[in-house]
Amino acid sequence: CPSGEGSELRWFLQSCGFVFFFFVLQYAHGDLSYSVQEELKRGSVIGNIAKDLGLEVGSLSVRKARVDMEGNDRQYCGINLRSGDLMVAERIDREEHCGEEPSCVLKFDLLLENPLELHRFLHIQDINDNSPQFKEELINIEIRESADRGARFVIEEAHDADVGQNSVQQYSLKKNDNFILAVDGNTIELVLEKELDREKQQEINLLLTALDGGSPQRSGTVVIHVTVLDANDNAPVFSQAVYKASLPENSPVDTVVVTVSATDADEGVNGDVTYEFGHVTEDVKKIFSIDRKVGEIRVIGAVDYETSTSFEIRVKAKDGLGLSSYAKVIISITDVNDNAPVVNLKSLTNSIPEDTLPGTEVGIINVQDRDSENNRQVRCSIQQNVPFKLVPSIKNYYSLVTTGQLDRELVSDYNITITATDEGSPPLSSSKTVQLSVADINDNPPVFEEQSYSAYVTENNKPGSTLCSVTARDPDWRQNGTVIYSLLPGEVNGAPVSSYLSVNGDTGVIHAVRSFDYEQFRSFKVHVMARDNGSPPLSSNVTVSVFISDVNDNSPQILYPAPEGNSFMTELVPKAAHGGSLVSKVIAVDADSGQNAWLSYHIVKSTDPGLFTIGLHSGEIRTQRDISESDSMKQNLIVAVKDNGQPSLSATCSMYLLISDNLAEVPELKDISYDEKNSKLTSYLIIALVSVSTFFLTFIVIILGVRFCRRRKPRLLFDGAVAIPSAYLPPNYADVDGTGTLRSAYNYDAYLTTGSRTSDFKFLWCIIVFCAFVSFRMSVHFGLNQFFRFFD
Ligand SMILES: *[C@@H]1O[C@H](CO)[C@@H](O)[C@H](O)[C@H]1NC(C)=O
Ligand SMILES: *[C@@H]1O[C@H](CO)[C@@H](O)[C@H](O)[C@H]1NC(C)=O
Ligand SMILES: *[C@@H]1O[C@H](CO)[C@@H](O)[C@H](O)[C@H]1NC(C)=O
């Protein structure tokens, strides 16, 4: 060791007096061996060479003792020549020189000259100057959470530069939930004691401590950062097991009904939840859809409460790798008033007889509403002002009932509108129209348009001519309203009415059956019945008054004096008659009436015009002036009597006036009658008388003959004329009603036939009367007693 460093050494020794030296002195074959702890401070004394070598301290410097480090630039040791101490000259690091070798020897040469001696050998003792050390401060490891219990994970061991006991002796792992440590020699392993759950703890930090065996003990730690990797160990979990939602029906498409959500504790694709329907019916698929990502269930179709009031849908949540879970979605549909009530006609008595009593049920109506609750509460009504009402019956049934008397003739059919309204909000309603017709009952008799009818006919009408027509109305239906006219039986002047008139059963036209004679009767009444064809029939009757009007068909008839030709009559006019005195009077009548019978008298011709006048209307013949002696004794007047008809008819007569005071003075009464004209007339009369008498005789003979025959064979001739054989009648005669009215024109013919029989007899009687009359007149005029005797 170099000697020039004495002062430094002194300082070194003083300041480090407490340092211990451990060394073993060996002396063998001249070699010195020291053991020195590493890392001693400079100046620390390793040993005393002088003592160890048995030399004088002074001889060291004499012998130029020095330390020569073999093959080393660094001079770790020095010799204090004054004390002979071997001292640390520089820091000695065992690990630097020897690494991990268990024994570390630092070779140096201690040179002594005179004689040259060489001593060497320095053992370096280890001290625990190094801590165990891991390669990194942080160890990252990733472990899948699915790792099984007992899985092992190797951790790189820690190193300690020291050797022996000072090197790493043991490891310890800070207590944790999952891992324990397994050390086998140099192999350190983490052993999974309890399964990991990423979802609980994603990262775990473990503190691993390596301990050496030095004293004091040193340690080194490392943090093991365990990242737990996810495994798809979690199925998605719905937030609710059952989702309930209510949805109004008819909700528009795209309405969100409910959103289901499921969470998956896994991460990444393992936690990527998608939603879908589980097993659902086709209907559900048509109505709802589920959003794969969001879990929104939306409406895609028509939601109809009336079809389905609720849906139960299984919803599936699935994560990326196929773990799935299910939830139930219950969608209850709420009713919306979307169905109008429906009115059904269950039964209907159509054609209600009009005599139906009020309160009769004529129809049954059923009302239905497919909605529910209030929306299906239905009120039913019909319009006012019809004689019907609705009576609620069982449940949704209503009876349609009449409320009043029906009259087909007023209203023959009804359109009844039944309106049904539900109680929803807003309410819906619907209506149905029912057509009801009223059936006819024969409840109306025919009614004549007028209370009575009058027919005016001029006499001498043609048989069959139309007099008038009657009309009756019957408002009933068809045959109940079909009117048939007929004459009611009755008598006019002792003859049945049917011999005067007939009525057309269909038209009501009244015909005359015969020609009327005003002079026979001026008016008569018949009753016409109108009857309908119902069952039973209803009828009414009306009076038809027939007024026959006059025709100027009768000439005035002069009653006095006797008509021309029979004028044997004379009036005596006193000679002293003054002007204006009434001489005679022409008396005439006219069978006609009115103007036709308004007679006027005129003197057509007179022997002495100016002597007599006649009252125009009275027929009184008066002297116009005083009679004078010069006036002819015989005065002859021809008087015409005219009626006032159009044209007027007239008759004439002659009046013989004898101006005399005494009838005896009239010697030539016969002369008066036998003038030229009269004799001619008389001869005619005689001819007529003879022929009439002959005829009359013949007639008497016939009558006698007939009577004689009838006694033996009654009913031969006259009865046959009264009882008309039915074969004689036209075939339709059977159609005649009870009253004897014939349809159409047949009746007229029939009556004509019967009538003509009667007229035969009348004619005969006329002749008889005429003959009697003529005979009478002749007897008056001729005074032929024989003539009367003949008659007697
Ligand atoms: C009833 O309705 C029918 C057809 O809709 C119509 O012809 C008829 O005139 C109506 N009757 C009444 C009384 O309104
Ligand atoms: C006529 O009235 C009767 C009842 O009086 C009835 O039975 C019949 O049906 C009616 N005829 C018609 C055509 O209406
Ligand atoms: C005709 O009608 C009247 C009243 O209308 C009645 O009094 C009379 O009896 C009826 N006559 C016949 C024959 O029906």
Side-chain angles (χ1 to χ4, degrees):
C1 289
S3 56
E5 294 173 281
S7 59
E8 279 182 274
L9 265 176
R10 210 175 298 127
W11 166 79
F12 183 80
L13 288 171
Q14 283 169 353
S15 58
C16 306
F18 58 89
V19 178
F20 290 89
F21 296 92
F22 300 97
F23 59 89
V24 179
L25 186 68
Q26 273 188 305
Y27 186 68
H29 304 293
D31 282 353
L32 280 174
S33 180
Y34 291 98
S35 185
V36 67
Q37 265 186 329
E38 60 174 331
E39 305 283 353
L40 285 182
K41 288 207 161 72
R42 227 190 301 168
S44 306
V45 175
I46 299 168
N48 197 300
I49 293 168
K51 218 194 276 174
D52 294 339
L53 289 177
L55 297 172
E56 297 270 326
V57 176
S59 64
L60 285 179
S61 55
V62 174
R63 291 186 68 181
K64 296 185 183 169
R66 67 175 187 274
V67 174
D68 207 5
M69 296 305 291
E70 195 177 293
N72 213 322
D73 303 341
R74 309 247 304 258
Q75 195 70 42
Y76 292 107
C77 298
I79 299 169
N80 188 341
L81 291 176
R82 275 174 289 179
S83 63
D85 289 339
L86 182 65
M87 291 181 300
V88 174
E90 211 170 313
R91 178 181 162 256
I92 303 165
D93 187 9
R94 191 200 69 83
E95 285 75 24
E96 188 181 324
H97 294 286
C98 304
E100 297 200 356
E101 285 167 36
S103 83
C104 185
V105 177
L106 194 63
K107 290 187 181 133
F108 68 94
D109 296 330
L110 175 65
L111 284 174
L112 291 172
E113 291 176 13
N114 283 331
L116 182 64
E117 279 179 45
L118 189 60
H119 305 277
R120 54 179 193 169
F121 220 54
L122 180 64
H123 286 275
I124 300 171
Q125 269 188 332
D126 184 40
I127 64 160
N128 192 19
D129 61 345
N130 288 290
S131 302
Q133 206 172 14
F134 290 92
K135 193 172 155 198
E136 290 155 300
E137 284 183 353
L138 184 70
I139 300 172
N140 278 312
I141 58 173
E142 294 183 338
I143 303 175
R144 191 158 293 278
E145 58 175 326
S146 57
D148 292 329
R149 187 159 172 262
R152 289 170 176 255
F153 306 92
V154 176
I155 306 291
E156 196 179 348
E157 72 276 14
H159 289 275
D160 193 326
D162 298 323
V163 293
Q165 274 297 314
N166 290 338
S167 68
V168 176
Q169 293 302 307
Q170 57 175 350
Y171 292 91
S172 80
L173 185 65
K174 192 176 169 212
K175 189 165 164 48
N176 68 88
D177 291 340
N178 301 94
F179 294 97
I180 55 169
L181 201 63
V183 181
D184 181 18
N186 267 346
T187 315
I188 308 162
E189 288 171 322
L190 285 176
V191 177
L192 189 59
E193 173 82 348
K194 184 181 165 223
E195 282 91 346
L196 296 169
D197 187 355
R198 190 200 65 83
E199 288 72 33
K200 255 196 231 158
Q201 203 173 9
Q202 278 199 356
E203 295 179 339
I204 304 170
N205 282 324
L206 300 172
L207 190 65
L208 181 63
T209 309
L211 295 164
D212 60 18
S215 173
Q217 196 174 38
R218 284 174 172 263
S219 65
T221 58
V222 70
V223 174
I224 304 170
H225 182 83
V226 178
T227 306
V228 183
L229 294 182
D230 187 46
N232 191 23
D233 55 348
N234 285 286
V237 176
F238 278 101
S239 59
Q240 288 167 246
V242 176
Y243 293 86
K244 287 187 176 161
S246 91
L247 177 71
E249 63 173 325
N250 304 337
S251 289
V253 166
D254 250 20
T255 306
V256 177
V257 184
V258 66
T259 305
V260 297
S261 89
T263 49
D264 191 314
D266 295 326
E267 61 177 8
V269 84
N270 294 336
D272 203 1
V273 180
T274 56
Y275 303 93
E276 59 190 64
F277 286 140
H279 178 75
V280 290
T281 61
E282 286 301 313
D283 291 344
V284 170
K285 285 186 201 161
K286 280 181 196 153
I287 298 174
F288 299 106
S289 74
I290 187 164
D291 185 287
R292 274 179 61 77
K293 291 274 172 226
V294 188
E296 276 177 352
I297 294 180
R298 286 174 187 267
V299 176
I300 56 166
V303 185
D304 186 10
Y305 177 84
E306 284 71 37
T307 313
S308 175
T309 57
S310 74
F311 293 93
E312 202 175 295
I313 304 174
R314 256 169 91 74
V315 176
K316 178 180 178 185
K318 196 174 76 171
D319 64 21
L321 288 176
L323 284 182
S324 53
S325 61
Y326 294 88
K328 204 197 281 185
V329 176
I330 296 174
I331 302 173
S332 49
I333 309 297
T334 53
D335 187 41
V336 165
N337 193 20
D338 60 343
N339 286 287
V342 179
V343 179
N344 294 313
L345 194 58
K346 287 296 178 191
S347 80
L348 183 69
T349 319
N350 214 336
S351 291
I352 315 158
E354 55 183 325
D355 62 353
T356 301
L357 291 176
T360 307
E361 179 181 273
V362 296
I364 293 174
I365 282 133
N366 175 246
V367 183
Q368 294 193 326
D369 192 310
R370 296 178 62 221
D371 294 319
S372 63
E373 307 207 336
N374 269 356
N375 295 342
R376 73 177 302 152
Q377 295 300 315
V378 179
R379 276 174 293 112
C380 236
S381 63
I382 59 173
Q383 81 265 41
Q384 300 296 310
N385 66 42
V386 289
F388 296 96
K389 67 175 178 188
L390 278 181
V391 178
S393 182
I394 330 153
K395 228 176 143 200
N396 291 327
Y397 285 86
Y398 292 83
S399 303
L400 184 61
V401 167
T402 58
T403 57
Q405 196 64 52
L406 304 175
D407 187 356
R408 191 202 66 86
E409 286 72 37
L410 285 180
V411 187
S412 66
D413 58 343
Y414 293 93
N415 285 343
I416 295 172
T417 307
I418 300 158
T419 309
T421 311
D422 62 26
E423 285 177 6
S425 132
L428 293 177
S429 66
S430 69
S431 61
K432 186 181 192 84
T433 299
V434 176
Q435 221 173 338
L436 272 178
S437 55
V438 181
D440 188 42
I441 291 293
N442 192 20
D443 55 352
N444 287 285
V447 174
F448 282 98
E449 282 180 347
E450 285 166 42
Q451 287 198 319
S452 64
Y453 289 83
S454 302
Y456 297 90
V457 59
T458 49
E459 59 178 330
N460 305 330
N461 56 302
K462 278 195 199 135
S465 62
T466 302
L467 297 190
C468 67
S469 76
V470 295
T471 313
R473 305 256 173 239
D474 188 330
D476 288 323
W477 182 242
R478 295 260 164 89
Q479 69 258 34
N480 291 343
T482 306
V483 180
I484 298 159
Y485 304 92
S486 59
L487 282 177
L488 283 181
E491 289 197 341
V492 174
N493 285 4
V497 284
S498 53
S499 63
Y500 291 91
L501 295 178
S502 73
V503 61
N504 185 311
D506 300 328
T507 60
V509 174
I510 295 175
H511 300 276
V513 169
R514 60 159 76 167
S515 180
F516 299 125
D517 185 0
Y518 176 83
E519 286 71 36
Q520 256 183 318
F521 45 82
R522 300 182 172 193
S523 70
F524 58 94
K525 285 184 177 179
V526 295
H527 293 282
V528 174
M529 179 172 77
R531 176 176 62 86
D532 61 28
N533 226 348
S535 157
L538 295 175
S539 66
S540 60
N541 63 49
V542 75
T543 307
V544 178
S545 308
V546 179
F547 297 98
I548 299 156
S549 56
D550 188 38
V551 164
N552 195 19
D553 59 344
N554 289 286
S555 315
Q557 206 177 354
I558 298 169
L559 302 178
Y560 183 88
E564 240 180 321
N566 301 330
S567 50
F568 302 113
M569 279 190 104
T570 30
E571 294 282 349
L572 281 182
V573 179
K575 283 180 179 164
H578 294 295
S581 39
L582 178 68
V583 175
S584 182
K585 181 177 163 76
V586 176
I587 300 172
V589 290
D590 195 312
D592 296 322
S593 65
Q595 294 286 333
N596 295 337
W598 197 35
L599 302 180
S600 56
Y601 302 85
H602 308 273
I603 295 173
V604 182
K605 196 176 166 189
S606 63
T607 315
D608 183 0
L611 183 55
F612 297 103
T613 64
I614 191 160
L616 182 61
H617 294 299
S618 62
E620 289 173 351
I621 296 168
R622 291 175 188 272
T623 52
Q624 217 167 350
R625 56 177 170 80
D626 295 345
I627 307 283
S628 65
E629 286 297 329
S630 58
D631 289 332
S632 163
M633 190 183 168
K634 288 188 272 183
Q635 291 288 336
N636 200 353
L637 295 179
I638 295 177
V639 175
V641 184
K642 282 190 196 168
D643 61 24
N644 205 18
Q646 272 303 334
S648 74
L649 296 174
S650 62
T652 53
C653 63
S654 301
M655 178 152 288
Y656 301 98
L657 299 170
L658 195 62
I659 300 174
S660 168
D661 290 332
N662 185 358
L663 198 63
E665 283 183 351
V666 190
E668 307 155 275
L669 197 63
K670 279 174 194 163
D671 298 347
I672 299 168
S673 49
Y674 284 106
D675 63 355
E676 197 60 23
K677 243 192 272 174
N678 282 354
S679 62
K680 210 189 271 177
L681 188 73
T682 307
S683 58
Y684 289 149
L685 275 172
I686 288 168
I687 293 165
L689 180 65
V690 170
S691 52
V692 162
S693 305
T694 316
F695 188 81
F696 182 71
L697 275 176
T698 318
F699 176 69
I700 295 291
V701 168
I702 288 171
I703 289 214
L704 290 173
V706 165
R707 287 197 170 252
F708 177 72
C709 290
R710 216 168 128 191
R711 216 159 278 154
R712 292 195 302 178
K713 242 181 142 187
R715 303 172 170 265
L716 184 69
L717 187 59
F718 292 101
D719 284 8
V722 175
I724 305 158
S726 62
Y728 177 81
L729 295 170
N732 284 25
Y733 196 81
D735 283 352
V736 175
D737 324 321
T739 54
T741 303
L742 279 183
R743 301 287 178 93
S744 313
Y746 295 119
N747 46 2
Y748 165 64
D749 291 340
Y751 285 118
L752 265 192
T753 318
T754 50
S756 63
R757 299 266 163 151
T758 334
S759 57
D760 286 346
F761 286 93
K762 287 187 176 166
F763 177 66
L764 280 176
W765 281 115
C766 279
I767 289 176
I768 292 166
V769 168
F770 177 71
C771 291
F773 175 73
V774 167
S775 313
F776 170 73
R777 290 307 294 254
M778 281 184 158
S779 70
V780 169
H781 284 275
F782 293 98
L784 293 176
N785 288 334
Q786 314 90 306
F787 197 79
F788 284 106
R789 242 175 264 131
F790 168 78
F791 265 93
D792 289 335

